[in-house]
Amino acid sequence: MADLMQDAGIMCLKPCADPDSAYESIPASGFELTMSEAGAGSHGKRRPQPGLPPPRVQMLETVLDELAEPISVIDADYRVNYMNRAARELFSHNTDFLGLSLCHQISHRRSTPCSGVDHPCPVTRVRETGCSVRVLHEHYDGQGAKRVVEIIASPLRGRDEDFCGIIESQRDVTARERANEKIKRYAVELERSNRLKDLFIDIMRHDLLSPAGVIRSAAALGLRDETDALKREDLDMIHRSSQRMIELIQNASALAKLESEGQLPLEPTDIEAMIMAAARDLGPDAEEKGIRLTITGGFAGSVPANPLLASVFSNLIGNAVKYSPENSEILIAIAREDRGCRISVTDRGEGIPDPAKEKIFTRFTRLHKGVVKGTGLGLAIAKRIVELHEGRVWVEDAPGGGSVFLVQLACA
Ligand code: ADP
C-alpha cells in the first residue's frame, strides 16, 4: 500500500527514530507530494496528478475506503484535505467541505487548534518531533457523542523534505479508557477504605481493649470480695461480658490484620509438637466435661509453618470440646500424605448440616447462638491462617455422627 500511496503522491512517512513508534517508515524520495491536491477535489475524490494512471489512484481510494479505521490527511494549517469513508461517516462529514474545514472544528467543535497536555495537537507534535506520534483525544462524533480516541499521526513531506501536514488514523478506545477510569476510581476507594479499616483496628486495639480490660479486672476484684449473692450475680455478668468483649476485639483485629496480610514468614516446624501443645492447653476444659482427648498417628516430619498455625489447632480442638457432649471422645489424628500431611479433629457433637459446612468458615456465622459462648470468628481466622500456608481447611460428617475438621498442609 505504501507504494500505491507514493505513486498517488499522497504522502510519505518520515523514517522515525522514536523507539515507541509502532510504525514502519517509508522512504521519502522519488515522488512529489501534493497536499493541496490530496482530497481537495469535490466529493472527496482526489484529482490524479498529471501523468499518474488514474486507476491506481482509484484503487488507492478504494483501499482506504475499505479500511475500518478512520484516516484523515491534515495540512500544516489544520485543513482536513482528505478523509476515508470511515472518517467521513464517523464525523458525518460532507465531502464538499474537504479542504475547507479545520480539524479542530470537525472533531472538537472549537475554533482554535488543540493544545496543552490533555489535548496535544498532533500536527504541532509531528512538526516538532518529525516523527510519528500517538496521542489520546476526546472527540465529538457526528452525533455529538464524546468518544476517546487514540490518534496515530505521521508526517507528510514534499520532495524538498518540507513538512506539509500529517496523515492520522484513529482508534476508538472509549470503552478501554472508561474501564481504566473505573479501575482507578476503585483503587482510590479501596485505598480509602483500607485506611479506614486500619484506623478502626487501631481504635479497637488501643482505645477499646484497655477500658474493656479495666472493666474485667474491676469485676474480678469485686467478685473476690463481694458476699451478697445478687451483687455477685451482677458482677459475674459484667465479668463474662467484658471477657467476651475482649475476645471479640482481639479476634476481630487479628482477622482484619490477617486479611490484609499477603504472606506469613514460614519456618520448618514440628507440627506434631504444635498439636500436642494445643491439646495439652485444652486438657483442663476437656476434663471439666469428662471428654477424653486421644491423639493418634506418627507423622514425625516438619512442615513450613508460622507460629500462628498453633491457633488453628487450638480453635479446632477448642471447638470440638465446646460443641461435644459431656463424657464423649475427641480424636486427633496426624497422617502423612503424598506431598504433605493431614490433621483431623473428630468429635461426637451434633455435626454441621451440609448447607452450613462452608458458611461456618466465614466471619460471624454461628449455629449455636446463645447455647455455647463464642464470637463466630475463630474458623474464619483459622481458614485465613491455613490459606496463608497454602493449605486447606474444611469439615465433613464423622462416620457415626459428629464432625471431622480437616487441615491439609504441604511438607517442607
Ligand atoms: P465460635 O465457636 O466462636 O462461635 P467459630 O468460628 O469457631 O466461632 O465457629 C463458628 C460456628 O461453627 C460455631 O458457632 C458453631 O456453631 C459451629 N462449629 C464450630 N465447630 C463446631 C463443632 N466441632 N461442632 C459443631 N459445630 C461447630
Side-chain angles (χ1 to χ4, degrees):
M1 186 159 106
D3 281 350
L4 259 181
M5 288 177 139
Q6 288 189 22
D7 284 354
I10 289 182
M11 66 169 186
C12 99
L13 301 183
K14 173 149 174 72
C16 186
D18 180 4
D20 291 332
S21 170
Y23 296 86
E24 230 175 81
S25 55
I26 300 166
S29 58
F31 66 94
E32 201 169 338
L33 182 85
T34 54
M35 276 300 292
S36 53
E37 286 180 65
S42 62
H43 307 289
K45 297 279 179 217
R46 209 174 301 104
R47 260 179 288 123
Q49 288 181 19
L52 202 66
R56 298 205 72 166
V57 177
Q58 277 163 17
M59 191 173 151
L60 171 64
E61 292 205 343
T62 308
V63 170
L64 289 174
D65 277 346
E66 287 308 313
L67 292 180
E69 272 189 354
I71 294 186
S72 312
V73 173
I74 302 167
D75 74 12
D77 297 322
Y78 313 107
R79 263 194 308 272
V80 180
N81 283 331
Y82 172 77
M83 279 175 154
N84 71 345
R85 192 194 341 246
R88 293 196 303 272
E89 281 174 3
L90 176 68
F91 293 112
S92 309
H93 199 70
N94 188 325
T95 50
D96 286 344
F97 293 107
L98 283 175
L100 299 172
S101 314
L102 304 178
C103 53
H104 39 272
Q105 290 171 333
I106 296 174
S107 50
H108 292 274
R109 302 189 171 185
R110 49 190 276 181
S111 53
T112 51
C114 298
S115 62
V117 192
D118 285 346
H119 277 110
C121 170
V123 177
T124 312
R125 289 277 305 274
V126 170
R127 189 188 351 234
E128 282 168 3
T129 61
C131 288
S132 293
V133 299
R134 193 186 294 250
V135 292
L136 273 191
H137 271 206
E138 203 175 60
H139 279 177
Y140 287 100
D141 65 17
Q143 275 69 50
K146 278 189 179 176
R147 317 291 315 164
V148 183
V149 292
E150 186 179 65
I151 297 173
I152 291 142
S154 304
L156 294 173
R157 294 181 184 278
R159 183 179 259 170
D160 51 5
E161 281 293 300
D162 282 350
F163 172 80
C164 48
I166 60 169
I167 178 163
E168 67 169 38
S169 67
Q170 296 178 21
R171 195 156 60 97
D172 190 328
V173 291
T174 312
R176 184 191 79 188
E177 288 304 301
R178 288 197 180 142
N180 281 345
E181 276 303 309
K182 251 193 190 167
I183 291 169
K184 273 187 212 154
R185 272 204 306 274
Y186 181 63
V188 170
E189 272 168 28
L190 213 61
E191 177 72 38
R192 207 180 122 255
S193 56
N194 259 345
R195 274 203 307 271
L196 265 177
K197 191 181 83 179
D198 288 348
L199 178 71
F200 187 62
I201 297 169
D202 282 349
I203 291 173
M204 282 211 305
R205 246 193 257 129
H206 304 299
D207 302 336
L208 286 180
L209 205 52
S210 31
V214 172
I215 295 169
R216 185 180 57 180
S217 308
L221 275 177
L223 271 174
R224 203 184 56 188
D225 303 331
E226 188 56 64
T227 49
D228 183 273
L230 272 178
K231 284 184 185 162
R232 278 189 68 81
E233 220 173 87
D234 288 346
L235 282 169
D236 188 45
M237 194 183 69
I238 295 170
H239 187 256
R240 276 187 287 112
S241 301
S242 52
Q243 173 63 30
R244 193 171 126 62
M245 197 195 311
I246 288 168
E247 276 170 22
L248 194 62
I249 294 169
Q250 283 171 335
N251 284 347
S253 52
L255 181 61
K257 195 160 177 289
L258 280 168
E259 274 179 350
S260 51
E261 208 85 58
Q263 62 188 104
L264 289 175
L266 309 180
E267 54 191 47
T269 304
D270 180 347
I271 206 82
E272 237 171 322
M274 193 181 247
I275 292 167
M276 298 277 228
R280 208 174 29 244
D281 289 347
L282 286 154
D285 294 351
E287 227 170 82
E288 215 173 276
K289 286 179 81 175
I291 292 172
R292 193 147 47 97
L293 280 179
T294 311
I295 303 182
T296 65
F299 171 66
S302 88
V303 164
N306 183 280
L308 274 177
L309 192 64
S311 67
V312 173
F313 303 122
S314 300
N315 178 265
L316 297 184
I317 302 169
N319 276 352
V321 172
K322 271 199 311 189
Y323 300 106
S324 283
E326 289 187 353
N327 305 317
S328 58
E329 185 177 22
I330 293 171
L331 187 70
I332 303 161
I334 312 164
R336 186 180 284 280
E337 285 200 316
D338 253 5
R339 278 191 227 139
C341 66
R342 178 188 284 227
I343 301 101
S344 61
V345 179
T346 309
D347 63 52
R348 292 280 164 233
E350 280 178 31
I352 313 279
D354 283 347
K357 280 195 169 70
E358 273 190 37
K359 266 175 126 184
I360 54 167
F361 291 94
T362 57
R363 52 195 160 170
F364 301 123
T365 304
R366 305 205 65 225
L367 309 178
H368 301 82
K369 279 185 200 144
V371 186
V372 185
K373 298 274 169 286
T375 61
L377 287 170
L379 288 177
I381 293 175
K383 182 166 186 259
R384 183 66 192 137
I385 293 173
V386 172
E387 277 170 2
L388 287 167
H389 285 77
E390 286 173 16
R392 209 182 136 220
V393 55
W394 72 103
V395 63
E396 290 177 2
D397 293 329
S403 33
V404 196
F405 281 80
L406 298 118
V407 178
Q408 203 168 35
L409 295 167
C411 274

